[in-house]
Amino acid sequence: MNRNNETLKITTGAMIIAIFAMLLLLNRQTGAFFEEMFIYILPIPMVVYATKYSWKYGLMVFAGMTLFSFIFGSVTTVFYAITGALLGLILGTCFYYKVDMTTTMLLSMGLAALFNVLSTITLASVFGYDLKREIDEMQNMMNQVFTQAKVETTAATSQMLEAGFLRQMMIISMVLMGLVQGFIIYQLSVMILKKLRFTIGAPTSFSSIYPPKWTGFAAIAAYSYGATSFFQAAENSVRQDIGQTLWVVGYVWLLCFGLIAVNLALKKYIVSNKLIAAVLTFMSIFILPQLVMILGMLYISFGFHDKLLQPR
């Protein structure tokens, strides 16, 4: 019986590697036409295998996928393929050991964001991807937009056109894109595992995600300090880079929990329909982002979280 199980693990692993190699070969033969779609699909085979057999056997399959990435993948897709297989291995291991589903989702999003940034750095250092040229093109485009819109030149607008600021915005956009990719990969994995009748846990509510109160004060302090860097002279570029980074980190942190607060408040006081509440929550980012940020501060540090969870 044990021998049959070992044989099944080996043959299943070979089938998973074959599916992975087939996706890479198809991507290569189509001139990377479907590469953006394959980024979401490549981790799935490993997720299924690691969920069934754990990371111990998954490591051997991961080694095979890494080898086939160099054989069937193009030069620029090797990194995407390897990181996709690694993400699948980690996700599958979390499902195998019944890790909390929300924790697993956040881990998937964080790793995808990290891999997305690292892939650009790898492309820039190994494959000759010119970040400076991209930033120059962004500067020219924004200059044209400001000129056509007849925007008055101020210290803030001049700071927005600085190469350092645009570089940070590019990295932040990569992080946000990676977060979305990780979320989609997680959802696809859960959907496929359920179709294959795997037993996985139920996700916990976002309302249970509650950070320490001091992080709210730290975020508002980082945001306030970073905001002053937009009006400083460009003599101290290091200080400006640090300030702008702190501004973004503080803003994003407060905005994320502000969105949770908005969603809970809408469902408690205004609408009971979850879809309508989700749409209104999404719209609040563009309509009243500063109010959302303030609600995030109240949610984290001033007890608004507990008030929203109390019965009406």
Side-chain angles (χ1 to χ4, degrees):
M1 186 68 178
N2 291 335
R3 186 174 180 180
N4 290 337
N5 286 337
E6 292 297 323
T7 303
L8 181 61
K9 290 174 183 177
I10 295 173
T11 54
T12 304
M15 181 185 68
I16 293 296
I17 294 174
I19 294 173
F20 185 80
M22 183 185 67
L23 291 173
L24 290 176
L25 186 60
L26 178 61
N27 181 58
R28 184 172 183 175
Q29 293 301 316
T30 55
F33 185 77
F34 299 103
E35 184 167 282
E36 293 299 324
M37 181 179 67
F38 283 162
I39 291 175
Y40 302 97
I41 301 175
L42 285 174
I44 305 300
M46 177 56 85
V47 170
V48 175
Y49 188 82
T51 302
K52 188 172 180 63
Y53 296 115
S54 84
W55 64 271
K56 296 179 181 178
Y57 295 93
L59 281 176
M60 295 183 290
V61 176
F62 173 72
M65 288 180 171
T66 301
L67 176 62
F68 277 88
S69 298
F70 287 98
I71 297 174
F72 294 107
S74 61
V75 177
T76 56
T77 58
V78 169
F79 187 86
Y80 295 120
I82 295 175
T83 54
L86 179 59
L87 178 59
L89 176 63
I90 295 172
L91 273 181
T93 302
C94 290
F95 290 131
Y96 179 84
Y97 287 106
K98 302 294 187 295
V99 177
D100 177 74
M101 296 291 282
T102 301
T103 303
T104 303
M105 181 189 68
L106 295 175
L107 180 62
S108 172
M109 295 171 65
L111 288 174
L114 175 64
F115 293 154
N116 203 32
V117 174
L118 290 179
S119 66
T120 304
I121 296 174
T122 303
L123 289 173
S125 60
V126 178
F127 306 123
Y129 178 72
D130 195 346
L131 286 174
K132 186 178 183 303
R133 187 180 64 182
E134 292 290 327
I135 293 172
D136 290 340
E137 291 178 358
M138 290 176 63
Q139 282 181 312
N140 294 332
M141 182 184 66
M142 292 182 68
N143 273 319
Q144 292 177 4
V145 171
F146 286 171
T147 302
Q148 293 175 359
K150 297 181 180 179
V151 176
E152 183 180 354
T153 302
T154 61
T157 57
S158 299
Q159 186 65 42
M160 290 176 62
L161 295 174
E162 290 290 333
F165 178 78
L166 293 176
R167 183 176 64 253
Q168 290 181 11
M169 292 300 103
M170 180 181 289
I171 294 175
I172 291 167
S173 66
M174 294 174 192
V175 171
L176 294 176
M177 188 180 298
L179 293 174
V180 174
Q181 288 177 358
F183 178 77
I184 294 175
I185 291 170
Y186 166 82
Q187 294 294 342
L188 286 175
S189 301
V190 171
M191 181 180 66
I192 291 174
L193 289 175
K194 287 183 177 179
K195 290 292 183 181
L196 295 175
R197 301 186 183 279
F198 281 85
T199 302
I200 57 177
T204 58
S205 172
F206 273 106
S207 61
S208 64
I209 304 174
Y210 184 59
K213 291 184 177 181
W214 64 265
T215 61
F217 294 108
I220 197 66
Y223 175 84
S224 302
Y225 174 79
T228 61
S229 66
F230 290 97
F231 305 99
Q232 294 173 353
E235 298 167 353
N236 193 337
S237 59
V238 175
R239 184 178 177 182
Q240 279 191 336
D241 290 344
I242 293 174
Q244 291 166 11
T245 302
L246 289 174
W247 179 84
V248 172
V249 170
Y251 180 76
V252 171
W253 183 258
L254 295 174
L255 187 70
C256 289
F257 290 98
L259 291 174
I260 297 176
V262 169
N263 186 259
L264 292 176
L266 286 172
K267 289 189 291 187
K268 182 175 182 179
Y269 297 111
I270 300 178
V271 294
S272 58
N273 187 286
K274 293 183 178 180
L275 179 60
I276 296 176
V279 172
L280 292 175
T281 301
F282 179 75
M283 292 174 60
S284 68
I285 303 175
F286 307 99
I287 299 174
L288 296 168
Q290 300 299 329
L291 177 61
V292 175
M293 187 187 72
I294 294 172
L295 289 176
M297 178 67 182
L298 297 175
Y299 182 87
I300 298 172
S301 302
F302 292 95
F304 193 40
H305 168 266
D306 298 330
K307 183 175 178 60
L308 289 174
L309 294 183
Q310 291 175 357
R312 183 173 177 180

